[in-house]
Amino acid sequence: MSGTSSLTLDALDLSALLCSRVCHDVISPIGAIVNGLEVLEDDNDPSMREFALELIRKSARTASARVQFARIAFGAAGSAGASIDLADAEKVSRAMFADEKTQIAWSAPQALFPKNKVKLLLNLVVIASGAIPRGGLIDVAVTGGGEAPRFVLRAKGSHARIPPHVEALIAGTPEGGTVDAHGILPFYAGLVSRAAAMDVRFTIEGDEVTVTATPTEAGTGLPGAPASSLEADRPSDSAPPDTQLA
């Protein structure tokens, strides 16, 4: 899906919606930590205290995994340059789903890839998980070099389906011409895909949804596509931007 988005969000709205998404993802485990601490304070039963400690441990791991994933997928995380190690992307993806009903299989070269391409890959992992609401397997395959990669994500599980409205959101043409916190992730993935000069496609066959991202035709030569130097100029979290998201 290429081209210019018909819906444009200003920086404040985009930031607010992404923050809402991140907060939504961490509220549940943080709330569970608070509940566990309250049990430790009020209950002297050894079995209840052990239950509370285990709840705290598990919830802390979940919250940490989700924040670390978001730091790369939505933020300016990474090296001081414009590249991210695919091994880091694999690590945060596996941690993100470690306690979930969805499993991750990962096949990718050991290499640094341009930041926006890695961010796109991580956002597609989350979108692929939405294609199998009852859980299953997401097989992630990365081929090609960093400048012209190919991502193929196969989500297989019971009741697999292409998530509602996701194709229009990635294309930047959401139904009704608006986007909320629920739809911001695929909308943002579309913004990143265009910045990275990559097309995203969805297909479904039986209980398997395939998400494919490939370089746009003619790459950076397309009208409106970013110049190759733009990604190198994007800041990392070691040098936070004044006004724009990385």
Side-chain angles (χ1 to χ4, degrees):
M1 298 177 186
S2 58
T4 302
S5 169
S6 64
L7 173 63
T8 301
L9 294 179
D10 65 31
L12 288 176
D13 287 340
L14 179 61
S15 299
L17 288 169
L18 286 174
C19 285
S20 294
R21 169 71 195 212
V22 174
C23 290
H24 174 272
D25 287 346
V26 299
I27 279 175
S28 178
I30 289 176
I33 292 171
V34 172
N35 292 338
L37 291 172
E38 290 175 348
V39 171
L40 289 179
E41 291 176 353
D42 300 335
D43 200 319
N44 292 321
D45 185 307
S47 63
M48 286 300 297
R49 292 179 67 84
E50 181 57 34
F51 171 80
L53 284 171
E54 181 56 31
L55 177 63
I56 292 170
R57 293 187 195 102
K58 179 179 179 181
S59 300
R61 287 194 299 267
T62 299
S64 176
R66 292 180 181 180
V67 169
Q68 290 184 58
F69 185 94
R71 180 171 172 263
I72 298 179
F74 309 134
S79 64
S83 300
I84 297 176
D85 196 326
L86 284 177
D88 291 336
E90 177 183 3
K91 180 179 178 181
V92 297
S93 295
R94 291 190 183 280
M96 179 77 168
F97 295 97
D99 295 324
E100 301 291 336
K101 54 192 176 182
T102 299
Q103 303 299 312
I104 297 284
W106 191 279
S107 174
Q110 294 185 347
L112 294 172
F113 268 41
K115 184 177 295 184
N116 277 339
K117 290 181 172 64
V118 178
K119 290 168 73 171
L120 174 62
L121 176 61
L122 292 180
N123 278 271
L124 293 180
V125 169
V126 179
I127 291 170
S129 72
I132 42 175
R134 298 194 179 185
L137 174 68
I138 300 174
D139 188 303
V140 180
V142 179
T143 56
E147 294 307 313
R150 175 182 171 87
F151 305 151
V152 179
L153 297 85
R154 293 183 173 86
K156 186 172 183 177
S158 175
H159 293 76
R161 82 281 191 275
I162 297 174
H165 314 300
V166 71
E167 292 172 288
L169 285 162
I170 288 181
T173 56
E175 184 177 350
T178 60
V179 62
D180 57 17
H182 180 73
I184 190 60
L185 189 147
F187 182 83
Y188 177 72
L191 295 178
V192 176
S193 72
R194 289 184 284 281
M198 295 189 74
D199 285 335
V200 179
R201 304 287 179 183
F202 292 80
T203 59
I204 183 169
E205 184 175 350
D207 61 356
E208 182 174 285
V209 173
T210 300
V211 188
T212 305
T214 55
T216 54
E217 184 178 354
T220 56
L222 283 175
S228 59
S229 62
L230 285 184
E231 253 187 336
D233 294 336
R234 293 182 181 274
S236 74
D237 54 0
S238 62
D242 292 330
T243 58
Q244 74 178 100
L245 293 174

